[in-house]
Amino acid sequence: IALEENKKGNIVLISGIASKCKWRKDIRDMMDGFFEIYLKCSVNVCADRDYKGHYKKAMAGEYKNFVGVTEDYEEHEHYDLMLDTGLNSIDRCSEVILNKVKTYLLNE
């Protein structure tokens, strides 16, 4: 659906976990005007925020594939924007994202 809407010229926001660099490159190659935001956060901070207990289960070995615990997130150097959400508040991250995306869209 996102690709179809993108091809129509619509702005599409996708939230997801693509832990492999190749997957993100493939998505970038498919989409026009792709803008990648990496919300970086340590596993410990993610676990502290996890009200559903998924990190606890992953750390206990209950999940075979869990990014950050049993599977690495492959970082690269080509993000359009990277924010460390463990070091910045939600308000600060929101402000930076909004300003960067507005600037990006105006220069497209």
Side-chain angles (χ1 to χ4, degrees), residues 5-6 9 11 13 17-18 20 27-28 31 43 46-47 52-53 63 66-67 77 84-85 90 93 95-96 103:
E5 291 300 315
N6 180 258
I11 296 170
L13 302 177
I17 299 172
K20 305 292 183 199
I27 295 167
R28 181 180 292 275
M31 297 279 190
V43 172
C46 287
K52 292 184 178 181
Y63 296 146
F66 196 89
V67 176
E77 297 177 11
D84 190 324
T85 66
I90 291 172
C93 289
E95 177 185 334
V96 171
T103 300

Side-chain angles (χ1 to χ4, degrees), residues 25-104:
K25 182 191 177 305
D26 290 347
I27 295 167
R28 181 180 292 275
D29 291 344
M30 284 189 285
M31 297 279 190
D32 290 331
F34 187 80
F35 187 88
E36 182 179 358
I37 302 172
Y38 173 32
L39 300 177
K40 183 176 183 170
C41 193
S42 74
V43 172
N44 291 335
V45 172
C46 287
D48 287 344
R49 294 176 178 167
D50 180 23
Y51 62 91
K52 292 184 178 181
H54 292 298
Y55 278 86
K56 185 176 181 179
K57 288 178 182 178
M59 290 174 183
E62 294 182 40
Y63 296 146
K64 290 183 181 181
N65 296 312
F66 196 89
V67 176
V69 178
T70 63
E71 182 180 332
D72 289 336
Y73 180 90
E74 294 178 3
E75 292 189 28
H76 61 83
E77 297 177 11
H78 306 290
Y79 302 107
D80 298 295
L81 176 62
M82 190 278 290
L83 290 167
D84 190 324
T85 66
L87 300 177
N88 294 285
S89 69
I90 291 172
D91 289 340
R92 178 66 184 142
C93 289
S94 299
E95 177 185 334
V96 171
I97 290 170
L98 182 60
N99 289 332
K100 288 284 188 179
V101 170
K102 281 174 29 179
T103 300
Y104 176 78

